[in-house]
Amino acid sequence: MIQSAQRFFLPAMLLSLVVNVSLAQNPEKEVEAQEPESPHHEITVTSTPFERLEVEVPVAVGSVNEDDIQMGRQQISLQESLAVIPGLFIQDQYNFAQDLRISIRGFGARASFGIRGIKIITDGIPNTLPDGQSSVDDIDLGSIRRIEVIRGPSSSLYGSAAGGVINLFTEDGPRQPFLEGRLTFGSYDFQRYQLKGGGQYKKLNYLGSLSHLTYGGYRDHSETSSTLFNTKLRFDISATSSLTTVVSAVDSPRAQDPGALNQGEVVQDRRQAAPRALLFDAGEKVSQQKLGLFYNKSFERGHRVVLRNYY
């Protein structure tokens, strides 16, 4: 029964098209000999107080890179890329009204809906409220380059009620400017459009992403529509200091909740919505904007000072 339900719920991807346009002014000067890549890649963990190689970090930490997050993914849920992290369990990835239910080593499993007891941080700005409730509505997976997950008691370094930490880092603009468009279509009226671009202009590094998602859902009364905007600007004041500005916004005017069915209702029609969900038109509307400023100053011997303010 469970395997059958999962087969019906997971939308089959029908078409995914990515168009990437480079905007280099002198492409001849960009061509350089490249050394063959080593089959072994060193992974640096930045979620700990000091940046260290993953094999040297004395805590339970896992990470996924940009390819695992963006390539061949619907980019609508953290579950797609974090399923490989041991000790992490995610439910309700297609219920956009109640958000994901995430538990790390059991922490967060008692939440009836949403995410509680787990810290979620994006570019140094917490997505977790002081009461422990976390939100993922404004996370644009199409511009995330890396995710680190800290499990176990070491996550208490991030404050109280931290049964685990999910730390997300967005992309930086490459040296060669680019403009990329992505169109993704699937079953159950799934459509996702994304336009992303970035680059480096003198001391200014920039990257912006705009995406729109519509999804009809497998069950009745489960439609959703969402528009995400995310941009990051970094100005290199000197070789050892920089000022970064992060601006993001989400507008989700419709996220319907089909509700839970009992066994008899599942046998009758597994795709129907719960009567109470239809009666009260259960769902969620979200409109949120975020602004963050970061000043980073590096010193000798690996020391640095980071000043941050966000609204």
Side-chain angles (χ1 to χ4, degrees):
M1 176 67 72
I2 295 178
Q3 294 179 352
S4 176
Q6 290 178 343
R7 186 183 68 244
F8 281 104
F9 269 101
L10 296 178
M13 298 306 300
L14 300 182
L15 173 63
S16 181
L17 175 63
V18 179
V19 179
N20 188 293
V21 179
S22 297
L23 304 178
Q25 296 179 351
N26 297 317
E28 295 83 1
K29 297 182 180 180
E30 299 292 336
V31 179
E32 298 179 357
Q34 298 182 355
E35 297 181 358
E37 295 184 358
S38 171
H40 303 287
H41 302 280
E42 293 183 345
I43 299 177
T44 302
V45 175
T46 59
S47 295
T48 51
F50 303 97
E51 294 186 3
R52 304 177 65 178
L53 296 179
E54 186 174 10
V55 295
E56 299 176 351
V57 177
V59 300
V61 59
S63 63
V64 291
N65 58 27
E66 182 177 338
D67 289 343
D68 295 328
I69 299 170
Q70 298 185 20
M71 300 302 293
R73 308 291 188 183
Q74 290 180 279
Q75 300 179 13
I76 62 176
S77 169
L78 287 172
Q79 189 273 342
E80 301 170 17
S81 51
L82 296 184
V84 298
I85 301 296
L88 188 146
F89 182 66
I90 300 179
Q91 289 180 304
D92 296 341
Q93 59 265 32
Y94 293 105
N95 190 328
F96 298 89
Q98 297 194 21
D99 289 333
L100 298 174
R101 290 186 62 208
I102 301 179
S103 65
I104 297 179
R105 292 188 175 181
F107 288 94
R110 298 182 62 182
S112 57
F113 66 91
I115 306 169
R116 297 193 68 89
I118 297 174
K119 299 283 187 178
I120 298 181
I121 302 171
T122 305
D123 285 333
I125 301 177
N127 291 62
T128 303
L129 298 176
D131 66 348
Q133 183 76 28
S134 299
S135 172
V136 294
D137 294 300
D138 65 337
I139 295 178
D140 181 14
L141 292 175
S143 61
I144 298 294
R145 65 174 174 84
R146 183 173 174 80
I147 303 177
E148 295 179 359
V149 180
I150 299 179
R151 313 180 299 277
S154 298
S155 57
S156 60
L157 294 171
Y158 285 82
S160 61
V165 178
I166 300 177
N167 210 342
L168 303 98
F169 305 89
T170 59
E171 297 179 58
D172 293 319
R175 296 188 60 182
Q176 177 176 315
F178 79 101
L179 181 64
E180 177 181 281
R182 181 185 296 264
L183 307 176
T184 309
F185 302 89
S187 54
Y188 310 123
D189 299 325
F190 170 75
Q191 300 178 31
R192 189 177 186 277
Y193 312 93
Q194 181 186 22
L195 182 64
K196 181 172 65 174
Q200 180 82 30
Y201 179 74
K202 296 183 179 179
K203 293 185 177 182
L204 179 64
N205 184 278
Y206 59 93
L207 187 130
S209 174
L210 177 65
S211 64
H212 178 71
L213 166 71
T214 58
Y215 177 52
Y218 171 75
R219 295 176 57 192
D220 299 334
H221 198 72
S222 59
E223 295 182 3
T224 187
S225 177
S226 176
T227 301
L228 286 171
F229 171 75
N230 179 65
T231 183
K232 182 167 68 173
L233 306 173
R234 188 190 74 244
F235 182 77
D236 297 323
I237 302 174
S238 65
T240 59
S241 62
S242 64
L243 180 64
T244 302
T245 302
V246 176
V247 179
S248 67
V250 57
D251 180 27
S252 178
R254 182 177 71 256
Q256 297 177 332
D257 184 2
L261 302 177
N262 57 39
Q263 183 177 2
E265 291 170 336
V266 172
V267 174
Q268 180 185 14
D269 182 7
R270 67 171 61 244
R271 301 187 62 172
Q272 67 174 318
R276 286 183 175 272
L278 294 175
L279 178 63
F280 295 103
D281 191 22
E284 177 187 66
K285 295 180 180 180
V286 176
S287 180
Q288 176 179 307
Q289 301 80 40
K290 182 169 62 178
L291 170 64
L293 297 174
F294 304 88
Y295 174 75
N296 193 323
K297 173 66 175 179
S298 300
F299 300 94
E300 296 181 358
R301 299 180 181 179
H303 299 287
R304 66 174 181 172
V305 173
V306 179
L307 302 178
R308 61 170 58 95
N309 189 19
Y310 52 88
Y311 171 78

